[in-house]
Amino acid sequence: VDALLLDNVTFLTGGFPAAYGNRVSSVMQVAQREGDRERVRGRATIGFAGTGGVVEGPLAGGRGSWIVSARRSFLDVFTDDIGVGGVPVLYTLNGKAVYDVTGRDRIWAVNLTGVDTVRLGLTEDSDLSEELSTLDIQYDGWRSATGVNWQHVFDKGIGLLGVSYSRAYVGQRV
């Protein structure tokens, strides 16, 4: 998850609230922030891990917002080997849209997607006496989770209905 999308992160190591009563180790709650409800704006970042950007803005009528983040690692642009015969490449796409249907009803959708690849093995600089140089390992993975939620505020409580779908794919060849 892009750090520019985070609103709040809570890490619980014990003494869990009732909602997490069945947990035996730890819980990390991650809350993603909403987009800007006033104007469309964007930010780009570049760092050792890669490059990316965040674009956000209001939905029509000012009753909601959207935010999207896309990132890509770029170490592979500078080298084809980080000492293990390859370089991992990562792409991420995260987004959230929120819409206030009424003063008591709100719907929102969230998506987190990541794709990664790496190829390990023989390179031009490989030491042929090392075991890794005799291998050709190719890996690619794809993970995505999407959720849609509806929240209704009652006179004496709050109701939340959520539907989510997640999928993961891992392919490898040795």
Side-chain angles (χ1 to χ4, degrees), residues 77-108:
V77 173
F78 301 107
T79 182
D80 60 357
D81 186 1
I82 57 171
V84 294
V87 178
V89 179
L90 172 68
Y91 300 88
T92 63
L93 180 65
N94 308 148
K96 181 177 183 177
V98 178
Y99 183 71
D100 298 328
V101 180
T102 68
R104 290 180 171 240
D105 292 287
R106 169 183 273 201
I107 58 173
W108 68 94

PDB file of all heavy atoms in Angstrom, residues 77-108:
ATOM      1  N   VAL A  77      16.100  -1.119 -14.062  1.00  0.00           N
ATOM      2  CA  VAL A  77      16.547  -0.185 -15.099  1.00  0.00           C
ATOM      3  C   VAL A  77      18.055   0.041 -14.988  1.00  0.00           C
ATOM      4  O   VAL A  77      18.740   0.256 -15.984  1.00  0.00           O
ATOM      5  CB  VAL A  77      15.784   1.150 -14.983  1.00  0.00           C
ATOM      6  CG1 VAL A  77      16.340   2.196 -15.926  1.00  0.00           C
ATOM      7  CG2 VAL A  77      14.301   0.927 -15.225  1.00  0.00           C
ATOM      8  N   PHE A  78      18.580  -0.045 -13.757  1.00  0.00           N
ATOM      9  CA  PHE A  78      19.989   0.242 -13.517  1.00  0.00           C
ATOM     10  C   PHE A  78      20.883  -1.003 -13.496  1.00  0.00           C
ATOM     11  O   PHE A  78      22.074  -0.905 -13.726  1.00  0.00           O
ATOM     12  CB  PHE A  78      20.148   0.995 -12.194  1.00  0.00           C
ATOM     13  CG  PHE A  78      19.399   2.286 -12.183  1.00  0.00           C
ATOM     14  CD1 PHE A  78      18.246   2.428 -11.447  1.00  0.00           C
ATOM     15  CD2 PHE A  78      19.834   3.367 -12.942  1.00  0.00           C
ATOM     16  CE1 PHE A  78      17.543   3.616 -11.441  1.00  0.00           C
ATOM     17  CE2 PHE A  78      19.136   4.556 -12.951  1.00  0.00           C
ATOM     18  CZ  PHE A  78      17.980   4.686 -12.200  1.00  0.00           C
ATOM     19  N   THR A  79      20.315  -2.158 -13.181  1.00  0.00           N
ATOM     20  CA  THR A  79      21.115  -3.377 -13.112  1.00  0.00           C
ATOM     21  C   THR A  79      20.239  -4.584 -13.424  1.00  0.00           C
ATOM     22  O   THR A  79      19.024  -4.529 -13.242  1.00  0.00           O
ATOM     23  CB  THR A  79      21.758  -3.548 -11.718  1.00  0.00           C
ATOM     24  OG1 THR A  79      22.556  -4.727 -11.714  1.00  0.00           O
ATOM     25  CG2 THR A  79      20.707  -3.657 -10.625  1.00  0.00           C
ATOM     26  N   ASP A  80      20.871  -5.649 -13.895  1.00  0.00           N
ATOM     27  CA  ASP A  80      20.129  -6.883 -14.119  1.00  0.00           C
ATOM     28  C   ASP A  80      20.480  -7.927 -13.069  1.00  0.00           C
ATOM     29  O   ASP A  80      20.085  -9.081 -13.178  1.00  0.00           O
ATOM     30  CB  ASP A  80      20.358  -7.425 -15.538  1.00  0.00           C
ATOM     31  CG  ASP A  80      21.817  -7.733 -15.815  1.00  0.00           C
ATOM     32  OD1 ASP A  80      22.665  -7.479 -14.931  1.00  0.00           O
ATOM     33  OD2 ASP A  80      22.117  -8.221 -16.915  1.00  0.00           O
ATOM     34  N   ASP A  81      21.254  -7.514 -12.039  1.00  0.00           N
ATOM     35  CA  ASP A  81      21.654  -8.455 -10.989  1.00  0.00           C
ATOM     36  C   ASP A  81      21.942  -7.687  -9.707  1.00  0.00           C
ATOM     37  O   ASP A  81      22.752  -6.754  -9.710  1.00  0.00           O
ATOM     38  CB  ASP A  81      22.895  -9.228 -11.430  1.00  0.00           C
ATOM     39  CG  ASP A  81      23.294 -10.328 -10.465  1.00  0.00           C
ATOM     40  OD1 ASP A  81      22.602 -10.516  -9.444  1.00  0.00           O
ATOM     41  OD2 ASP A  81      24.298 -10.997 -10.729  1.00  0.00           O
ATOM     42  N   ILE A  82      21.293  -8.064  -8.623  1.00  0.00           N
ATOM     43  CA  ILE A  82      21.565  -7.451  -7.320  1.00  0.00           C
ATOM     44  C   ILE A  82      22.335  -8.415  -6.427  1.00  0.00           C
ATOM     45  O   ILE A  82      22.300  -8.329  -5.210  1.00  0.00           O
ATOM     46  CB  ILE A  82      20.276  -6.980  -6.615  1.00  0.00           C
ATOM     47  CG1 ILE A  82      19.288  -8.135  -6.428  1.00  0.00           C
ATOM     48  CG2 ILE A  82      19.646  -5.820  -7.353  1.00  0.00           C
ATOM     49  CD1 ILE A  82      18.095  -7.788  -5.562  1.00  0.00           C
ATOM     50  N   GLY A  83      23.056  -9.341  -7.041  1.00  0.00           N
ATOM     51  CA  GLY A  83      23.875 -10.269  -6.295  1.00  0.00           C
ATOM     52  C   GLY A  83      23.274 -11.653  -6.158  1.00  0.00           C
ATOM     53  O   GLY A  83      23.896 -12.544  -5.609  1.00  0.00           O
ATOM     54  N   VAL A  84      22.064 -11.847  -6.650  1.00  0.00           N
ATOM     55  CA  VAL A  84      21.431 -13.162  -6.594  1.00  0.00           C
ATOM     56  C   VAL A  84      21.040 -13.636  -7.990  1.00  0.00           C
ATOM     57  O   VAL A  84      20.258 -14.548  -8.137  1.00  0.00           O
ATOM     58  CB  VAL A  84      20.193 -13.172  -5.660  1.00  0.00           C
ATOM     59  CG1 VAL A  84      20.601 -12.940  -4.238  1.00  0.00           C
ATOM     60  CG2 VAL A  84      19.165 -12.152  -6.118  1.00  0.00           C
ATOM     61  N   GLY A  85      21.588 -12.988  -9.002  1.00  0.00           N
ATOM     62  CA  GLY A  85      21.316 -13.412 -10.361  1.00  0.00           C
ATOM     63  C   GLY A  85      20.069 -12.813 -10.961  1.00  0.00           C
ATOM     64  O   GLY A  85      19.608 -13.265 -11.996  1.00  0.00           O
ATOM     65  N   GLY A  86      19.495 -11.777 -10.351  1.00  0.00           N
ATOM     66  CA  GLY A  86      18.284 -11.169 -10.899  1.00  0.00           C
ATOM     67  C   GLY A  86      17.843  -9.968 -10.092  1.00  0.00           C
ATOM     68  O   GLY A  86      18.452  -9.614  -9.088  1.00  0.00           O
ATOM     69  N   VAL A  87      16.766  -9.345 -10.550  1.00  0.00           N
ATOM     70  CA  VAL A  87      16.204  -8.173  -9.885  1.00  0.00           C
ATOM     71  C   VAL A  87      14.688  -8.301  -9.869  1.00  0.00           C
ATOM     72  O   VAL A  87      14.077  -8.513 -10.921  1.00  0.00           O
ATOM     73  CB  VAL A  87      16.576  -6.869 -10.638  1.00  0.00           C
ATOM     74  CG1 VAL A  87      15.967  -5.658  -9.974  1.00  0.00           C
ATOM     75  CG2 VAL A  87      18.084  -6.725 -10.731  1.00  0.00           C
ATOM     76  N   PRO A  88      14.058  -8.172  -8.694  1.00  0.00           N
ATOM     77  CA  PRO A  88      12.595  -8.195  -8.667  1.00  0.00           C
ATOM     78  C   PRO A  88      12.024  -6.908  -9.263  1.00  0.00           C
ATOM     79  O   PRO A  88      12.604  -5.841  -9.125  1.00  0.00           O
ATOM     80  CB  PRO A  88      12.264  -8.303  -7.175  1.00  0.00           C
ATOM     81  CG  PRO A  88      13.497  -7.916  -6.449  1.00  0.00           C
ATOM     82  CD  PRO A  88      14.651  -8.094  -7.369  1.00  0.00           C
ATOM     83  N   VAL A  89      10.886  -7.041  -9.923  1.00  0.00           N
ATOM     84  CA  VAL A  89      10.172  -5.897 -10.489  1.00  0.00           C
ATOM     85  C   VAL A  89       8.756  -5.930  -9.918  1.00  0.00           C
ATOM     86  O   VAL A  89       8.091  -6.964  -9.944  1.00  0.00           O
ATOM     87  CB  VAL A  89      10.121  -5.969 -12.031  1.00  0.00           C
ATOM     88  CG1 VAL A  89       9.346  -4.794 -12.598  1.00  0.00           C
ATOM     89  CG2 VAL A  89      11.527  -6.030 -12.607  1.00  0.00           C
ATOM     90  N   LEU A  90       8.313  -4.787  -9.387  1.00  0.00           N
ATOM     91  CA  LEU A  90       7.020  -4.709  -8.712  1.00  0.00           C
ATOM     92  C   LEU A  90       6.199  -3.567  -9.288  1.00  0.00           C
ATOM     93  O   LEU A  90       6.703  -2.460  -9.480  1.00  0.00           O
ATOM     94  CB  LEU A  90       7.224  -4.485  -7.215  1.00  0.00           C
ATOM     95  CG  LEU A  90       5.990  -4.195  -6.373  1.00  0.00           C
ATOM     96  CD1 LEU A  90       5.090  -5.420  -6.312  1.00  0.00           C
ATOM     97  CD2 LEU A  90       6.380  -3.752  -4.986  1.00  0.00           C
ATOM     98  N   TYR A  91       4.924  -3.849  -9.552  1.00  0.00           N
ATOM     99  CA  TYR A  91       3.947  -2.841  -9.954  1.00  0.00           C
ATOM    100  C   TYR A  91       2.804  -2.884  -8.945  1.00  0.00           C
ATOM    101  O   TYR A  91       2.363  -3.971  -8.559  1.00  0.00           O
ATOM    102  CB  TYR A  91       3.343  -3.155 -11.329  1.00  0.00           C
ATOM    103  CG  TYR A  91       4.325  -3.231 -12.458  1.00  0.00           C
ATOM    104  CD1 TYR A  91       4.969  -4.422 -12.756  1.00  0.00           C
ATOM    105  CD2 TYR A  91       4.587  -2.122 -13.244  1.00  0.00           C
ATOM    106  CE1 TYR A  91       5.870  -4.515 -13.814  1.00  0.00           C
ATOM    107  CE2 TYR A  91       5.479  -2.202 -14.304  1.00  0.00           C
ATOM    108  CZ  TYR A  91       6.115  -3.394 -14.582  1.00  0.00           C
ATOM    109  OH  TYR A  91       6.994  -3.462 -15.625  1.00  0.00           O
ATOM    110  N   THR A  92       2.304  -1.719  -8.519  1.00  0.00           N
ATOM    111  CA  THR A  92       1.130  -1.692  -7.645  1.00  0.00           C
ATOM    112  C   THR A  92       0.129  -0.667  -8.160  1.00  0.00           C
ATOM    113  O   THR A  92       0.507   0.356  -8.731  1.00  0.00           O
ATOM    114  CB  THR A  92       1.480  -1.349  -6.174  1.00  0.00           C
ATOM    115  OG1 THR A  92       2.022  -0.027  -6.113  1.00  0.00           O
ATOM    116  CG2 THR A  92       2.441  -2.351  -5.589  1.00  0.00           C
ATOM    117  N   LEU A  93      -1.147  -0.958  -7.935  1.00  0.00           N
ATOM    118  CA  LEU A  93      -2.232  -0.051  -8.265  1.00  0.00           C
ATOM    119  C   LEU A  93      -3.236  -0.131  -7.123  1.00  0.00           C
ATOM    120  O   LEU A  93      -3.752  -1.213  -6.824  1.00  0.00           O
ATOM    121  CB  LEU A  93      -2.900  -0.439  -9.583  1.00  0.00           C
ATOM    122  CG  LEU A  93      -4.069   0.438 -10.036  1.00  0.00           C
ATOM    123  CD1 LEU A  93      -3.583   1.860 -10.345  1.00  0.00           C
ATOM    124  CD2 LEU A  93      -4.763  -0.160 -11.228  1.00  0.00           C
ATOM    125  N   ASN A  94      -3.463   0.978  -6.448  1.00  0.00           N
ATOM    126  CA  ASN A  94      -4.381   1.041  -5.317  1.00  0.00           C
ATOM    127  C   ASN A  94      -5.357   2.178  -5.549  1.00  0.00           C
ATOM    128  O   ASN A  94      -4.992   3.217  -6.095  1.00  0.00           O
ATOM    129  CB  ASN A  94      -3.651   1.311  -4.004  1.00  0.00           C
ATOM    130  CG  ASN A  94      -2.487   0.377  -3.731  1.00  0.00           C
ATOM    131  OD1 ASN A  94      -1.530   0.759  -3.119  1.00  0.00           O
ATOM    132  ND2 ASN A  94      -2.554  -0.844  -4.200  1.00  0.00           N
ATOM    133  N   GLY A  95      -6.600   1.997  -5.120  1.00  0.00           N
ATOM    134  CA  GLY A  95      -7.572   3.063  -5.287  1.00  0.00           C
ATOM    135  C   GLY A  95      -8.711   2.969  -4.300  1.00  0.00           C
ATOM    136  O   GLY A  95      -8.963   1.914  -3.700  1.00  0.00           O
ATOM    137  N   LYS A  96      -9.390   4.088  -4.135  1.00  0.00           N
ATOM    138  CA  LYS A  96     -10.556   4.152  -3.257  1.00  0.00           C
ATOM    139  C   LYS A  96     -11.496   5.225  -3.787  1.00  0.00           C
ATOM    140  O   LYS A  96     -11.064   6.286  -4.217  1.00  0.00           O
ATOM    141  CB  LYS A  96     -10.132   4.495  -1.830  1.00  0.00           C
ATOM    142  CG  LYS A  96     -11.288   4.567  -0.851  1.00  0.00           C
ATOM    143  CD  LYS A  96     -10.781   4.841   0.567  1.00  0.00           C
ATOM    144  CE  LYS A  96     -11.907   4.852   1.580  1.00  0.00           C
ATOM    145  NZ  LYS A  96     -11.402   5.055   2.950  1.00  0.00           N
ATOM    146  N   ALA A  97     -12.796   4.916  -3.748  1.00  0.00           N
ATOM    147  CA  ALA A  97     -13.831   5.892  -4.107  1.00  0.00           C
ATOM    148  C   ALA A  97     -14.877   5.874  -3.000  1.00  0.00           C
ATOM    149  O   ALA A  97     -15.248   4.808  -2.505  1.00  0.00           O
ATOM    150  CB  ALA A  97     -14.469   5.552  -5.443  1.00  0.00           C
ATOM    151  N   VAL A  98     -15.332   7.062  -2.600  1.00  0.00           N
ATOM    152  CA  VAL A  98     -16.323   7.211  -1.525  1.00  0.00           C
ATOM    153  C   VAL A  98     -17.447   8.093  -2.050  1.00  0.00           C
ATOM    154  O   VAL A  98     -17.192   9.108  -2.709  1.00  0.00           O
ATOM    155  CB  VAL A  98     -15.692   7.875  -0.283  1.00  0.00           C
ATOM    156  CG1 VAL A  98     -16.725   8.083   0.801  1.00  0.00           C
ATOM    157  CG2 VAL A  98     -14.521   7.087   0.227  1.00  0.00           C
ATOM    158  N   TYR A  99     -18.693   7.695  -1.758  1.00  0.00           N
ATOM    159  CA  TYR A  99     -19.843   8.497  -2.174  1.00  0.00           C
ATOM    160  C   TYR A  99     -20.861   8.540  -1.036  1.00  0.00           C
ATOM    161  O   TYR A  99     -21.265   7.509  -0.513  1.00  0.00           O
ATOM    162  CB  TYR A  99     -20.495   7.896  -3.428  1.00  0.00           C
ATOM    163  CG  TYR A  99     -21.636   8.715  -3.958  1.00  0.00           C
ATOM    164  CD1 TYR A  99     -21.396   9.937  -4.574  1.00  0.00           C
ATOM    165  CD2 TYR A  99     -22.937   8.278  -3.836  1.00  0.00           C
ATOM    166  CE1 TYR A  99     -22.443  10.704  -5.061  1.00  0.00           C
ATOM    167  CE2 TYR A  99     -23.993   9.038  -4.329  1.00  0.00           C
ATOM    168  CZ  TYR A  99     -23.742  10.244  -4.939  1.00  0.00           C
ATOM    169  OH  TYR A  99     -24.779  11.003  -5.408  1.00  0.00           O
ATOM    170  N   ASP A 100     -21.238   9.753  -0.646  1.00  0.00           N
ATOM    171  CA  ASP A 100     -22.259   9.957   0.385  1.00  0.00           C
ATOM    172  C   ASP A 100     -23.620  10.000  -0.303  1.00  0.00           C
ATOM    173  O   ASP A 100     -23.988  11.009  -0.904  1.00  0.00           O
ATOM    174  CB  ASP A 100     -22.006  11.260   1.147  1.00  0.00           C
ATOM    175  CG  ASP A 100     -20.671  11.248   1.875  1.00  0.00           C
ATOM    176  OD1 ASP A 100     -20.243  10.163   2.306  1.00  0.00           O
ATOM    177  OD2 ASP A 100     -20.060  12.318   2.007  1.00  0.00           O
ATOM    178  N   VAL A 101     -24.356   8.899  -0.223  1.00  0.00           N
ATOM    179  CA  VAL A 101     -25.652   8.787  -0.885  1.00  0.00           C
ATOM    180  C   VAL A 101     -26.643   9.741  -0.229  1.00  0.00           C
ATOM    181  O   VAL A 101     -27.341  10.496  -0.899  1.00  0.00           O
ATOM    182  CB  VAL A 101     -26.165   7.333  -0.835  1.00  0.00           C
ATOM    183  CG1 VAL A 101     -27.508   7.208  -1.517  1.00  0.00           C
ATOM    184  CG2 VAL A 101     -25.155   6.389  -1.461  1.00  0.00           C
ATOM    185  N   THR A 102     -26.723   9.679   1.096  1.00  0.00           N
ATOM    186  CA  THR A 102     -27.546  10.594   1.898  1.00  0.00           C
ATOM    187  C   THR A 102     -26.727  10.962   3.125  1.00  0.00           C
ATOM    188  O   THR A 102     -25.583  10.513   3.288  1.00  0.00           O
ATOM    189  CB  THR A 102     -28.862   9.915   2.347  1.00  0.00           C
ATOM    190  OG1 THR A 102     -28.550   8.864   3.291  1.00  0.00           O
ATOM    191  CG2 THR A 102     -29.639   9.338   1.183  1.00  0.00           C
ATOM    192  N   GLY A 103     -27.311  11.722   4.023  1.00  0.00           N
ATOM    193  CA  GLY A 103     -26.644  12.055   5.277  1.00  0.00           C
ATOM    194  C   GLY A 103     -26.427  10.833   6.156  1.00  0.00           C
ATOM    195  O   GLY A 103     -25.608  10.863   7.066  1.00  0.00           O
ATOM    196  N   ARG A 104     -27.168   9.768   5.902  1.00  0.00           N
ATOM    197  CA  ARG A 104     -27.055   8.554   6.715  1.00  0.00           C
ATOM    198  C   ARG A 104     -26.476   7.354   5.971  1.00  0.00           C
ATOM    199  O   ARG A 104     -26.213   6.325   6.576  1.00  0.00           O
ATOM    200  CB  ARG A 104     -28.439   8.161   7.237  1.00  0.00           C
ATOM    201  CG  ARG A 104     -28.969   9.111   8.263  1.00  0.00           C
ATOM    202  CD  ARG A 104     -30.345   8.648   8.727  1.00  0.00           C
ATOM    203  NE  ARG A 104     -30.790   9.422   9.851  1.00  0.00           N
ATOM    204  CZ  ARG A 104     -31.077   8.912  11.042  1.00  0.00           C
ATOM    205  NH1 ARG A 104     -30.989   7.621  11.239  1.00  0.00           N
ATOM    206  NH2 ARG A 104     -31.467   9.685  12.011  1.00  0.00           N
ATOM    207  N   ASP A 105     -26.315   7.468   4.668  1.00  0.00           N
ATOM    208  CA  ASP A 105     -25.824   6.346   3.868  1.00  0.00           C
ATOM    209  C   ASP A 105     -24.562   6.733   3.109  1.00  0.00           C
ATOM    210  O   ASP A 105     -24.518   7.786   2.458  1.00  0.00           O
ATOM    211  CB  ASP A 105     -26.885   5.882   2.869  1.00  0.00           C
ATOM    212  CG  ASP A 105     -28.066   5.244   3.551  1.00  0.00           C
ATOM    213  OD1 ASP A 105     -27.910   4.115   4.037  1.00  0.00           O
ATOM    214  OD2 ASP A 105     -29.144   5.884   3.601  1.00  0.00           O
ATOM    215  N   ARG A 106     -23.585   5.866   3.188  1.00  0.00           N
ATOM    216  CA  ARG A 106     -22.322   6.074   2.492  1.00  0.00           C
ATOM    217  C   ARG A 106     -21.899   4.746   1.871  1.00  0.00           C
ATOM    218  O   ARG A 106     -22.031   3.689   2.483  1.00  0.00           O
ATOM    219  CB  ARG A 106     -21.266   6.537   3.473  1.00  0.00           C
ATOM    220  CG  ARG A 106     -19.862   6.521   2.917  1.00  0.00           C
ATOM    221  CD  ARG A 106     -18.875   6.911   3.966  1.00  0.00           C
ATOM    222  NE  ARG A 106     -18.784   8.356   3.930  1.00  0.00           N
ATOM    223  CZ  ARG A 106     -17.766   9.043   4.399  1.00  0.00           C
ATOM    224  NH1 ARG A 106     -16.780   8.430   4.982  1.00  0.00           N
ATOM    225  NH2 ARG A 106     -17.735  10.345   4.300  1.00  0.00           N
ATOM    226  N   ILE A 107     -21.400   4.805   0.630  1.00  0.00           N
ATOM    227  CA  ILE A 107     -20.831   3.622  -0.008  1.00  0.00           C
ATOM    228  C   ILE A 107     -19.401   3.945  -0.409  1.00  0.00           C
ATOM    229  O   ILE A 107     -19.067   5.102  -0.690  1.00  0.00           O
ATOM    230  CB  ILE A 107     -21.649   3.147  -1.238  1.00  0.00           C
ATOM    231  CG1 ILE A 107     -21.768   4.264  -2.283  1.00  0.00           C
ATOM    232  CG2 ILE A 107     -23.006   2.647  -0.826  1.00  0.00           C
ATOM    233  CD1 ILE A 107     -22.414   3.807  -3.576  1.00  0.00           C
ATOM    234  N   TRP A 108     -18.560   2.920  -0.395  1.00  0.00           N
ATOM    235  CA  TRP A 108     -17.194   3.105  -0.854  1.00  0.00           C
ATOM    236  C   TRP A 108     -16.643   1.791  -1.390  1.00  0.00           C
ATOM    237  O   TRP A 108     -17.105   0.725  -1.027  1.00  0.00           O
ATOM    238  CB  TRP A 108     -16.278   3.692   0.224  1.00  0.00           C
ATOM    239  CG  TRP A 108     -15.978   2.825   1.400  1.00  0.00           C
ATOM    240  CD1 TRP A 108     -14.908   1.990   1.569  1.00  0.00           C
ATOM    241  CD2 TRP A 108     -16.740   2.718   2.599  1.00  0.00           C
ATOM    242  NE1 TRP A 108     -14.965   1.368   2.778  1.00  0.00           N
ATOM    243  CE2 TRP A 108     -16.090   1.808   3.445  1.00  0.00           C
ATOM    244  CE3 TRP A 108     -17.930   3.300   3.056  1.00  0.00           C
ATOM    245  CZ2 TRP A 108     -16.565   1.458   4.695  1.00  0.00           C
ATOM    246  CZ3 TRP A 108     -18.405   2.951   4.304  1.00  0.00           C
ATOM    247  CH2 TRP A 108     -17.721   2.054   5.105  1.00  0.00           C
TER     248      TRP A 108
END
